[in-house]
Amino acid sequence: MKTQEYTVVGTRPIRHDGVDKVTGRALYGADFQMAGLLYGHILRSPHAHARIRRIDTSKAEQLPGVKAVVTAGDFPEVPERMVDLGEGDTPLSYARGNVLAKGKVLYKGHAIAAVAATSVHVAEEAAGLIEVDYEVLPCVLTAPEAMQDGAAILHDDLKTKEFGEQTGRVSNVAEHFRYAMGDIEAGFAQAEVMVEREFNTATVHQGYIEPHNATALWNNDGRILVWCSTQGSFSVRDVTACLLDVPVSRVRVTPMEIGGGFGGKIPVYLEPVAALLSKKTGKPVKIVMSRKDVFEGSGPTPGSHMKVKIGARKDGRITAAQAYLAYEAGAYPGAMVAPGAMCVFAAYDIANVVIDGFDVVVNKPSTAAYRAPGATNAAFAAESVVDEIAEKLGIDPLDFRLKNAAKEGTRRADGPKYRRIGCVEVIEAMKNHPHYTAPLGGPHRGRGVAIGFWFNVGLPSSCTISVSADGTVNLVEGSTDIGGTRTSIAMQAAEVLGIPAEDVHPTVVDTDSVGFTAVTGGSRTTFATGWAAYEAAQDVVRQMKERAAKIWETEAASVALDRGVFQSGDKRMTFQELAAKLDQTGGPVVGRGAVNPRGVGGSFSGCIADVEVDPETGKVTILRFTSVQDAGKAIHPSYVEGQMQGGSVQGIGWALNEEYFMNDAGSMTNSSLLDYRMPTALDLPMIDTVIVEVPNPGHPFGARGVGEANIVPPPGAIANAIYRAAGVRMNRLPMNPPAIMQAIWSQRD
Amino acid sequence: MHTKVRVQTTINGEPQEFLCEPRQSLLECLRDLLGLTGTKEGCNDGNCGACTVLMDDRVVTSCLVLGVEAQGCQITTIEGIARGSELHPLQRSFLENAALQCGICTPGFIVAAKALLDQQPNPSEDEIRLWLANNLCRCTGYDKIIRAVKQAAEQMQEVNA
Amino acid sequence: MSLPTVFIPTLLQSLTGGRSSVEVEGGTVRQVIDNLEQAWPGIRERLLDQGKLRPNISVAVDGEVTPMGLIEPVSPSSEVHFIAAIKGGAQAAHGQRHL
């Protein structure tokens, strides 16, 4: 698809922070150093569910080198209230309770106390000297278990809510909601083919390579200074201020480089604790999680129990679809089940739909977002059932999807009607790709397809651009750069200014130095912070035109900017020439952009996966993989491809290997990167990409966020490929060798 | 406090002496004692490869080496890969191929890939994948990393031809 | 004259006599809710708590969840949806502003 021609947008410049990242100079959170630095260590619960009877820190405090110990009791006493940490309210006690447990521990790995000492080894040793007296309680580890009558209850004050209505029923179900459209019974009555299946997926982790870290200094002037790796410096500021009961202006957060996040580095774990330790010691305190802490004490993404039923007519039209989604929130309410419900049938135009969502607490770590949170679980279920229906009808799986694909004007079950979307274009690109018709070339091989959706978000972003006398500009922004966004943002400013991307110098700054900017997440950064940069650049252009008009003694309205050249009548001046004249024409030019943009364009993604299943061992090898995604307009195609490849491979890991393997006592038995088996280079083929461009009418350059939708289809596509290779329909993730052999054996019986 | 041990070593071509506790890993010594923070910690148990360095031209995960073991060794870290102001071909090709996203695994990959190209100037895709299987990357899906290593190998061969 | 169309969440349709969408006047989300309350008493309390949208409810106008909530303008051709908020308690507990 042809989109408007641009000079900078759509090209592939070297990223601005690249040299520092290939030479080891880039400073990540754990690299931060400061005079007098103390090292912190967190003591974590060995039990999945227990009452804390007593904590005795005296022995730890006496160990030479230990400077302070803190527990939940060190947080300021604030009466229980709902706190608005952004858009969603939550009881303050839950927010604080996950950072340091009070009264009860709710999962193995739950933080209980923290030590600051002169070395990380002393701190660790001291944490081992803290004595905790536990009353161990029975634990619940899965949604179905936790929903049963008589299940162990995590929170005595948690009552099930049904769309704003308190049921008054104390249970582990925090919330039940329903999206419904049309007449589900009539829809199923029209169906000539029907498939209903049940699915379970395991808890998985985002698996970023850099562990969580934070350094805090409670300064002598009362300000709290924080350096950390986070997806959102402003949300760290707000949460830290809230838990420490100080105004937000007392906290300054400096985002260091961040080694991956995928949603998992939005939550705040360490910053308020490091600040408490710093307050007690008067010194800066750094805490870095171990890998085990990351698995057991940060936020993985929910395991789920799902049922999906779809009915269709013989002509291939889906008449009705129903989903039951019960997601495990972990220790505190907030499983990503609402977005799962938004996305489960989002790729299809279906008149009659019912979706029930359940947010269920269990004794596992409190879950966090993971790349299109909630959508991948749901799509695995829906795309497996869609595939089975297409097979029953004898229709090609892509033709079946095309026949039912969502388009502009299709209403989604959660309400909204789509604007211009690229679902059909993605499916057509899959169909047209040579991969789809290439021979499989051997036995025990199969090809599967699936599609997926993520709605993307907008949210606030701020940016300033100042013009230097040499004709370059400095761009200041607040979005932490996890995957090249300094460049995709700078390119949008460069396009407006008519200068090369290399002439824009982007810097990510602390929370004192730029306007509020929401997290790097929701596939929003290139879209929304890029938009702020676009606005800031427009502001620069407006001011520069005034300067040109002053020099030429004409009206600013008569001055035009075309590809870096200002013109009025027969007068011309390049951006660089005018930049050198700013001092004489009124002083510096600084442009600003602050947006909270609408017009977010959702992104569709699809993939084709070829697998080989070893019939003796159940091992699945990915032979070939193609990822297709609608980027609206790819600002920097290399990094769009990178998102698609990275999301695909995370989806492959989720599909085949990754899981929190829990024993009955609620202990994760595979909390290392050896046993939590993420894909290595050796496990994979090249990941082919096709960028589809259906411009988003809501963005100046037509961009859609591309960070997330790509992880949604792989598990479904791989399940469908396994079926064609081995003849078994898998109903659980991961589809590891034992699960596949089980399925093969039970089919033989 | 444990008695510290004096270690004499060569890091990135320069003689280097430091005092460390016997329990400190080489990774800790590099990062916390010598300020060479380009070598990253991802797991501290040898499974992610982010702390990869060369020890007498052998690829090691520095979290599994004690600082005291570096006595008399030649250590190469990411800070020693570029030649003065000129990037190593691998560093250039990682940039040109967009072979990094967050960048935390990049130093380990570049150090490991350099060791590969030093002994096998023209590796196949399979050889690259096998060699780099101890380095985890969660952002890229490895595709662009493999391409970058191949491109660097080709460029280095052209220069040497 | 056309009026904004409000889609009633399934679990609130008992208050609107089973109707899944209704047309009511209003230039902002707040006015729309006030007018809903006139026609179907009790619905406001299910949507608002102490004058604010309940924590687990988001409002979407013309297909986009609005960060402005009750003060979001609504035009006569608008569609208004009340939907489950994207992030539940835990995300906020973790200080997640948004996804």
Side-chain angles (χ1 to χ4, degrees):
Chain A
M1 181 155 301
K2 194 80 178 154
T3 52
Q4 195 185 327
E5 287 308 319
Y6 298 110
T7 311
V8 178
V9 164
T11 64
R12 300 173 185 245
I14 301 287
R15 61 192 283 172
H16 297 79
D17 53 339
V19 164
D20 283 349
K21 286 182 175 162
V22 297
T23 54
R25 286 196 193 102
L27 292 176
Y28 293 73
D31 303 337
F32 185 76
Q33 281 294 338
M34 197 179 204
L37 190 65
L38 297 176
Y39 297 85
H41 186 86
I42 299 216
L43 175 72
R44 296 178 181 278
S45 168
H47 304 295
H49 195 191
R51 215 173 296 286
I52 302 173
R53 290 205 193 98
R54 195 178 54 90
I55 305 179
D56 182 352
T57 60
S58 54
K59 280 186 189 149
E61 279 157 11
Q62 283 156 19
L63 188 74
V66 170
K67 301 295 177 187
V69 181
V70 296
T71 63
D74 289 286
F75 277 121
E77 280 295 336
V78 222
E80 177 68 319
R81 62 184 158 110
M82 296 299 281
V83 290
D84 183 359
L85 303 172
E87 219 180 7
D89 289 10
T90 189
L92 177 62
S93 60
Y94 287 1
R96 206 174 39 201
N98 196 43
V99 172
L100 282 176
K102 190 169 192 179
K104 242 176 136 185
V105 287
L106 298 168
Y107 54 96
K108 188 194 171 214
H110 200 157
I112 295 171
V115 181
T118 49
S119 94
V120 68
H121 299 286
V122 174
E124 193 177 342
E125 218 174 296
L129 297 174
I130 297 173
E131 288 169 3
V132 186
D133 183 12
Y134 297 101
E135 177 195 343
V136 178
L137 303 170
C139 60
V140 284
L141 299 173
T142 66
E145 227 183 297
M147 292 168 88
Q148 272 170 21
D149 288 339
I153 294 290
L154 272 76
H155 302 276
D156 295 334
D157 58 348
L158 181 63
K159 294 170 186 153
T160 305
K161 249 187 241 144
E162 289 200 332
F163 211 86
E165 190 181 29
Q166 263 303 352
T167 60
R169 196 170 60 242
V170 174
S171 90
N172 293 320
V173 181
E175 194 175 5
H176 168 214
F177 63 88
R178 171 176 291 176
Y179 296 142
M181 196 165 63
D183 181 337
I184 191 77
E185 280 162 31
F188 280 125
Q190 289 163 33
E192 291 163 296
V193 189
M194 212 130 53
V195 173
E196 184 174 9
R197 297 279 175 253
E198 216 173 293
F199 300 88
N200 289 290
T201 72
T203 301
V204 295
H205 198 272
Q206 301 83 355
Y208 33 82
I209 305 299
E210 178 205 40
H212 293 261
N213 59 76
T215 305
L217 170 63
W218 199 303
N219 212 356
N220 306 65
D221 58 6
R223 283 205 91 194
I224 301 162
L225 311 180
V226 175
W227 298 264
C228 61
S229 302
T230 175
Q231 289 179 242
S233 45
F234 284 88
S235 52
V236 171
R237 180 196 70 175
D238 293 357
V239 175
T240 303
C242 174
L243 298 195
L244 300 175
D245 202 26
V246 300
V248 289
S249 61
R250 286 261 304 274
V251 181
R252 186 195 77 197
V253 176
T254 305
M256 306 295 288
E257 296 302 332
I258 168 173
F262 314 109
K265 284 192 189 143
I266 294 171
V268 169
Y269 303 103
L270 302 175
E271 291 82 353
V273 181
L276 284 178
L277 288 168
S278 179
K279 189 182 189 188
K280 274 200 168 174
T281 58
K283 298 265 178 70
V285 177
K286 174 155 85 174
I287 310 177
V288 181
M289 283 195 195
S290 69
R291 179 52 56 179
K292 192 175 166 70
D293 291 349
V294 171
F295 277 120
E296 297 186 344
S298 73
T301 216
S304 50
H305 175 68
M306 304 173 287
K307 293 175 211 165
V308 167
K309 178 178 174 185
I310 297 178
R313 288 195 309 253
K314 281 188 183 140
D315 65 2
R317 272 297 275 155
I318 297 175
T319 58
Q322 186 163 9
Y324 167 102
L325 309 174
Y327 282 23
E328 299 161 5
Y332 296 95
M336 285 291 194
V337 63
M342 284 166 75
C343 293
V344 61
F345 300 128
Y348 302 104
D349 178 12
I350 311 174
N352 308 298
V353 182
V354 169
I355 303 163
D356 281 292
F358 296 84
D359 182 11
V360 187
V361 294
V362 297
N363 293 112
K364 292 201 274 201
S366 189
T367 55
Y370 176 19
R371 204 168 202 153
T376 306
N377 315 41
F380 163 62
E383 289 297 287
S384 296
V385 173
V386 162
D387 195 71
E388 198 173 338
I389 294 230
E391 187 207 9
K392 279 202 157 86
L393 293 171
I395 302 177
D396 171 90
L398 286 180
D399 287 336
F400 181 77
R401 286 172 172 81
L402 264 182
K403 208 174 174 91
N404 293 286
K407 311 174 185 59
E408 187 170 0
T410 297
R411 190 179 291 287
R412 217 167 55 213
D414 55 300
K417 259 188 201 167
Y418 284 118
R419 297 174 196 174
R420 185 74 176 92
I421 49 169
C423 185
V424 167
E425 288 81 355
V426 163
I427 302 171
E428 281 171 346
M430 293 166 75
K431 243 190 115 173
N432 295 334
H433 196 282
H435 181 174
Y436 192 57
T437 46
L440 279 161
H444 312 301
R445 292 181 172 191
R447 176 170 298 145
V449 296
I451 55 176
F453 171 72
W454 184 249
F455 43 87
N456 296 340
V457 301
L459 306 177
S461 279
S462 314
C463 177
T464 58
I465 295 177
S466 51
V467 181
S468 302
D470 61 0
T472 65
V473 302
N474 297 322
L475 186 157
V476 171
E477 44 135 335
S479 288
T480 52
D481 182 352
I482 318 186
T485 52
R486 280 183 182 86
T487 301
S488 65
I489 290 162
M491 288 170 74
Q492 296 177 62
E495 185 69 48
V496 172
L497 300 173
I499 61 177
E502 294 76 10
D503 286 357
V504 180
H505 307 295
T507 312
V508 180
V509 295
D510 65 62
T511 52
D512 282 3
S513 308
V514 66
F516 184 90
T517 299
V519 298
T520 295
S523 298
R524 65 173 290 280
T525 307
T526 296
F527 171 83
T529 309
W531 197 325
Y534 171 90
E535 292 289 343
Q538 294 286 4
D539 191 17
V540 166
V541 169
R542 189 183 51 73
Q543 296 177 53
M544 298 275 280
K545 283 179 176 171
E546 282 168 9
R547 302 303 175 87
K550 216 179 249 181
I551 293 167
W552 292 331
E553 297 180 20
T554 179
E555 295 296 315
S558 76
V559 181
L561 172 65
D562 182 33
R563 286 166 201 257
V565 181
F566 292 93
Q567 301 174 41
S568 176
D570 57 355
K571 303 211 172 60
R572 297 163 60 85
M573 200 169 8
T574 65
F575 187 89
Q576 287 76 10
E577 287 165 344
L578 183 54
K581 294 186 168 68
L582 296 182
D583 279 355
Q584 307 95 291
T585 55
V589 165
V590 179
R592 65 183 178 92
V595 300
N596 193 353
R598 311 295 162 87
V600 177
S603 180
F604 285 87
S605 171
C607 67
I608 310 170
D610 291 1
V611 306
E612 184 172 300
V613 181
D614 183 331
E616 301 302 318
T617 65
K619 183 181 188 300
V620 176
T621 304
I622 305 284
L623 301 170
R624 185 173 177 180
F625 198 96
T626 303
S627 174
V628 180
Q629 189 173 346
D630 176 17
K633 173 69 195 169
I635 304 292
H636 191 311
S638 296
Y639 287 96
V640 172
E641 292 160 7
Q643 289 294 321
M644 294 165 69
Q645 291 163 334
S648 295
V649 168
Q650 286 186 316
I652 289 169
W654 194 338
L656 294 181
N657 300 308
E658 296 179 30
E659 73 177 306
Y660 272 48
F661 197 90
M662 310 297 291
N663 67 16
D664 291 344
S667 179
M668 182 186 185
T669 59
N670 61 333
S671 55
S672 80
L673 287 174
L674 182 65
D675 299 317
Y676 184 91
R677 182 68 165 77
M678 307 198 303
T680 71
L682 194 57
D683 298 322
L684 297 161
M686 289 301 196
I687 308 294
D688 286 343
T689 55
V690 180
I691 300 174
V692 172
E693 293 188 322
V694 178
N696 171 15
H699 184 267
F701 298 115
R704 298 176 193 270
V706 294
E708 293 168 291
N710 37 59
I711 197 176
V712 180
I718 292 168
N720 297 335
I722 289 172
Y723 170 70
R724 286 178 181 77
V728 288
R729 288 248 174 231
M730 300 302 295
N731 58 6
R732 62 157 293 207
L733 297 181
M735 300 178 285
N736 55 15
I740 287 178
M741 288 320 295
Q742 203 103 66
I744 289 174
W745 288 328
S746 62
Q747 198 176 53
R748 279 183 202 157
D749 293 342
Chain B
M1 184 64 83
H2 299 259
T3 311
K4 289 185 176 174
V5 179
R6 179 175 144 203
V7 179
Q8 291 173 302
T9 175
T10 304
I11 299 183
N12 299 327
E14 297 291 330
Q16 186 82 55
E17 220 176 76
F18 58 87
L19 286 177
C20 72
E21 292 178 35
R23 64 179 170 185
Q24 285 184 296
S25 68
L26 175 58
L27 174 62
E28 271 186 272
C29 296
L30 291 171
R31 289 178 53 83
D32 296 345
L33 304 180
L34 302 170
L36 293 169
T37 55
T39 304
K40 303 300 181 189
E41 177 182 325
C43 68
N44 215 23
D45 54 15
N47 289 310
C48 78
C51 67
T52 301
V53 301
L54 304 183
M55 198 165 165
D56 293 337
D57 295 330
R58 215 155 38 91
V59 178
V60 297
T61 43
S62 59
C63 69
L64 295 187
V65 176
L66 290 172
V68 294
E69 292 180 84
Q71 173 65 37
C73 289
Q74 302 265 346
I75 308 289
T76 304
T77 71
I78 185 66
E79 288 90 348
I81 300 291
R83 295 162 193 150
S85 61
E86 199 188 326
L87 292 179
H88 187 278
L90 273 164
Q91 293 171 314
R92 272 206 318 272
S93 68
F94 266 64
L95 293 179
E96 286 164 8
N97 287 279
L100 59 145
Q101 285 177 33
C102 81
I104 195 87
C105 70
T106 309
F109 269 97
I110 288 177
V111 170
K114 178 186 181 295
L116 169 65
L117 299 188
D118 284 349
Q119 55 176 263
Q120 166 55 288
N122 186 24
S124 67
E125 183 190 328
D126 285 348
E127 283 171 314
I128 298 171
R129 286 188 181 278
L130 178 60
W131 186 271
L132 296 179
N134 191 46
N135 291 77
L136 290 175
C137 170
R138 192 60 159 173
C139 296
T140 64
Y142 304 101
D143 183 296
K144 292 183 188 301
I145 292 176
I146 306 298
R147 284 175 208 279
V149 174
K150 267 198 106 76
Q151 182 188 310
E154 284 158 17
Q155 285 172 351
M156 287 166 74
Q157 282 198 299
E158 276 168 33
V159 171
N160 294 335
Chain C
M1 198 191 89
S2 78
L3 293 173
T5 306
V6 183
F7 288 77
I8 307 297
T10 317
L11 298 170
L12 294 188
Q13 287 171 13
S14 58
L15 291 171
T16 57
R19 296 174 66 173
S20 60
S21 71
V22 297
E23 294 190 347
V24 290
E25 273 183 66
T28 63
V29 171
R30 184 189 303 282
Q31 290 167 12
V32 164
I33 293 176
D34 286 346
N35 291 332
L36 273 178
E37 175 69 16
Q38 295 275 316
W40 290 283
I43 197 161
R44 180 163 53 198
E45 204 209 315
R46 299 285 291 277
L47 296 169
L48 305 186
D49 182 23
Q50 296 172 355
K52 284 171 64 184
L53 270 178
R54 285 184 178 274
N56 297 321
I57 297 175
S58 291
V59 59
V61 176
D62 297 326
E64 270 196 66
V65 174
T66 163
M68 300 205 320
L70 299 178
I71 60 170
E72 176 72 21
V74 173
S75 77
S77 62
S78 285
E79 289 187 1
V80 180
H81 289 91
F82 296 100
I83 59 179
I86 295 312
K87 14 156 235 357
Q91 275 61 47
H94 291 164
Q96 172 175 14
R97 286 195 75 92
H98 305 283
L99 298 184

